[in-house]
Amino acid sequence: MAVRKRYVRSERKKRRWILSALIAVLVFAVAAVIFYVNREEELPPIEYRDVSGVTFENRQTEEIASVTVKNAEGEYTVVKNGENWQMAGREDFEFSEAMLEVFLGNAALIYAEEKLMEIPGSGYTFTDFGLGDNGIRVQVAYTDGASRSFYIGSLVPQETPVYYFRVEGDTGLYTVTQDVQETFALSGDALHRVTDPAIKGDLIDEIAFSGENPFTVTREGDEWYLTAPFRYPLNTAKVNKLLEKLEGLRFAQFVSKAEKADLSACGLSPARRTVTLAIAPSVLTGYDENGQPIADKYLEGYALSFLCGDDIGDILFYCLYRGEVVKATRFSSGVLLTQDYESLLQTAPFAVAVSSLTRFEWEEKGQTRAWDITLHERLLPNNEFERDASGNILYDLRAEQDGIEGNTDEFLLAFSRLIDVKAENLLPDDYAAPKEHEIRITLFRGENRREVKLYPYGELHYAVSVDGETVFYMSRDALSQVKFP
């Protein structure tokens, strides 16, 4: 197995941090949608509004000593310890830099968008707006000894999503923006660092899906094949799209270490679907700040598994990755659940690189025509090989029949048209091919070969068998347009 090169650059960390922040925002939005859909009570109408914002505190995050949050998910405290931050009672807690920055920023600036009313004399209480003990309560302590506590309540019934808000010691009813509500509505584990995969598609040699809709795809040289539940060539462009999706996998929120989680409650024991990647051996090259290579490290091949569990609403689902239970979104990780093999199958059964051909046979009505294909280096007048801009030797292809060179240009034209012939649709599951085929086309590539048999399927179509697997049917008319010399 070839060892492939890998590279480490500082920009990757920056891009992954930005993606993590974007996914964090998405998770906050999901929480808001779920809250809004499940809200049933009718809230009191608002008689007047003061649209000027009110600032209660405007501090630097360095001035915060601790933040205690109590919400529907529980209660937790984030405490400053020297220059670092800790989750109280959890010494091994590792913060997500992106999530912690948003959290502290919304605790440092306590700001109401608008004032709705004074509660005394209105006939209402704060509890009517979700601002009682069942609401979100945040207490911020500052390094100068001062502190502020505020509450976030129900969603305001209006087009722009804002939430009812009050500050302890103030009698006014205010609103606060959705992003602030989302920050403090989640559990403390939402602040935990999430281990995002760092996958390089060109290092993946095999992808195995087990559980729901099981199948396996395998890299063979420059091509990909379905190797389970049966063997069939795959469309390289479509597999590359799958590899790109795997490279883009990002997780939304940490839940817990696997050993501390109730895996059955998350649908992870057993998992409904497991995706296992076979990663090829590689060489990791490190670079200094000037872009110069400083060290190479050989990395053994290994397997990387993603266990997919139950859905959380319509957008999130549980996933177990490298010993951590996380929440993943269908937006960034849905491929783990939804990928099938039918969409990856090669619908152009004759599509192979002509430069890889060594022999081509067309058998029809008991007659077989065959061409032997050879490549010949191009020679310049000075007897040196002609090369392209990258220094690769250029070749001319030659097609011979019975040892006699034929019209290679006509052969190449016909073969290019044959490559473009595609299947129209899948055959019924219960289709059984007859014993006799009408046409057999065999493409030899060194020791490998692809045998395509065409069987009658009605008056207008052929059923197509590729290496013994009959999956698609194609138009007779499309193939009749291909004429070999």
Side-chain angles (χ1 to χ4, degrees):
M1 182 181 295
V3 176
R4 288 168 233 172
K5 283 279 188 178
R6 303 173 69 183
Y7 303 93
V8 177
R9 298 189 186 277
S10 59
E11 280 298 308
R12 172 177 292 177
K13 181 177 180 182
K14 179 179 178 182
R15 289 196 298 270
R16 291 179 64 201
W17 185 94
I18 294 172
L19 281 171
S20 297
L22 291 174
I23 292 174
V25 172
L26 177 60
V27 175
F28 289 153
V30 171
V33 170
I34 294 173
F35 180 90
Y36 179 77
V37 170
N38 292 333
R39 188 177 59 86
E40 297 179 354
E41 71 274 18
E42 289 295 327
L43 298 173
I46 303 302
E47 296 181 0
Y48 70 88
R49 308 169 83 128
D50 179 358
V51 297
S52 57
V54 180
T55 301
F56 294 94
E57 291 286 348
N58 187 5
R59 304 268 192 152
Q60 299 296 316
T61 57
E62 292 80 5
E63 299 179 67
I64 297 176
S66 68
V67 182
T68 298
V69 178
K70 181 179 180 296
N71 58 29
E73 300 293 330
E75 184 173 347
Y76 63 92
T77 300
V78 176
V79 182
K80 190 173 185 179
N81 183 9
E83 297 298 320
N84 300 315
W85 293 91
Q86 288 185 341
M87 182 68 71
R90 300 175 64 177
E91 295 181 358
D92 61 344
F93 192 94
E94 298 179 54
F95 284 98
S96 159
E97 293 181 14
M99 299 289 283
L100 182 61
E101 181 177 355
V102 172
F103 177 85
L104 294 175
N106 282 320
L109 175 61
I110 303 176
Y111 176 83
E113 289 294 301
E114 50 187 330
K115 184 175 182 179
L116 300 179
M117 65 168 68
E118 284 287 326
I119 289 298
S122 67
Y124 302 112
T125 67
F126 283 121
T127 303
D128 294 326
F129 302 92
L131 294 167
D133 292 337
N134 294 330
I136 298 171
R137 183 179 187 273
V138 181
Q139 182 179 23
V140 186
Y142 302 100
T143 53
D144 61 4
S147 66
R148 280 280 191 178
S149 296
F150 57 87
Y151 293 80
I152 303 172
S154 305
L155 184 67
V156 179
Q158 65 175 39
E159 183 176 350
T160 303
V162 292
Y163 289 79
Y164 294 111
F165 176 79
R166 79 175 177 99
V167 173
E168 206 164 85
D170 191 287
T171 57
L173 176 66
Y174 302 88
T175 65
V176 72
T177 56
Q178 184 177 9
D179 64 299
V180 177
Q181 190 274 346
E182 291 166 349
T183 298
F184 299 112
L186 297 177
S187 70
D189 282 325
L191 300 178
H192 195 285
R193 172 195 56 79
V194 177
T195 304
D196 283 325
I199 296 171
K200 288 183 65 66
D202 59 0
L203 292 176
I204 299 175
D205 278 342
E206 186 173 86
I207 311 170
F209 293 80
S210 59
E212 294 180 355
N213 190 16
F215 68 95
T216 302
V217 300
T218 306
R219 187 195 298 269
E220 297 183 7
D222 295 330
E223 297 181 313
W224 283 86
Y225 282 84
L226 179 74
T227 51
F230 56 90
R231 181 177 175 81
Y232 205 87
L234 299 179
N235 183 299
T236 300
K238 292 179 179 179
V239 175
N240 285 339
K241 287 290 185 182
L242 169 58
L243 297 177
E244 289 177 9
K245 291 178 181 179
L246 293 173
E247 287 181 337
L249 287 176
R250 297 292 180 270
F251 297 130
Q253 181 185 335
F254 176 86
V255 176
S256 74
K257 294 289 186 181
E259 61 269 20
K260 297 181 180 180
D262 185 345
L263 297 181
S264 296
C266 299
L268 292 167
S269 182
R272 62 167 161 168
R273 199 180 205 198
T274 299
V275 182
T276 303
L277 311 180
I279 308 298
S282 60
V283 174
L284 180 66
T285 301
Y287 290 83
D288 62 20
E289 59 184 11
N290 298 317
Q292 298 300 312
I294 54 177
D296 284 343
K297 181 179 180 181
Y298 176 80
L299 301 178
E300 297 282 354
Y302 62 98
L304 196 61
S305 294
F306 302 84
L307 281 69
C308 303
D310 290 343
D311 290 326
I312 311 165
D314 295 330
I315 299 176
L316 298 169
F317 64 94
Y318 289 108
C319 185
L320 176 57
Y321 170 70
R322 286 193 165 180
E324 294 181 351
V325 178
V326 297
K327 294 179 181 179
T329 68
R330 287 184 175 270
F331 170 75
S332 65
S333 305
V335 62
L336 300 175
L337 290 174
T338 61
Q339 184 63 56
D340 59 29
Y341 67 78
E342 289 88 350
S343 62
L344 301 175
L345 297 178
Q346 177 60 271
T347 56
F350 312 104
V352 301
V354 66
S355 59
S356 68
L357 275 183
T358 54
R359 184 175 172 84
F360 177 81
E361 294 181 358
W362 184 302
E363 178 208 325
E364 186 175 5
K365 297 179 181 179
Q367 301 292 321
T368 300
R369 290 185 294 163
W371 291 261
D372 290 305
I373 314 300
T374 54
L375 296 175
H376 301 268
E377 300 91 345
R378 292 183 184 178
L379 282 176
L380 296 171
N382 60 2
N383 286 328
E384 291 187 359
F385 295 130
E386 185 176 354
R387 300 175 184 271
D388 61 16
S390 300
N392 301 309
I393 297 175
L394 298 176
Y395 294 87
D396 287 322
L397 184 143
R398 184 178 301 166
E400 298 179 348
Q401 287 183 283
D402 298 324
I404 301 174
E405 184 176 359
N407 191 319
T408 298
D409 290 339
E410 288 185 10
F411 175 85
L412 290 175
L413 177 61
F415 190 77
S416 67
R417 290 174 176 170
L418 181 65
I419 287 176
D420 291 336
V421 175
K422 294 183 179 180
E424 289 189 359
N425 212 332
L426 291 167
L427 288 161
D429 291 338
D430 59 355
Y431 174 81
K435 292 182 179 180
E436 299 297 329
H437 58 267
E438 286 194 12
I439 299 174
R440 177 170 59 190
I441 299 172
T442 309
L443 304 102
F444 296 82
R445 293 170 293 167
E447 296 181 356
N448 300 320
R449 71 174 187 173
R450 180 181 299 175
E451 184 179 73
V452 182
K453 293 182 179 179
L454 305 177
Y455 299 91
Y457 186 63
E459 296 182 357
L460 302 178
H461 298 94
Y462 290 116
V464 184
S465 168
V466 178
D467 294 333
E469 294 292 342
T470 309
V471 180
F472 294 101
Y473 65 84
M474 67 167 51
S475 166
R476 285 177 176 264
D477 183 63
L479 193 65
S480 69
Q481 304 301 313
V482 179
K483 302 294 184 183
F484 279 88

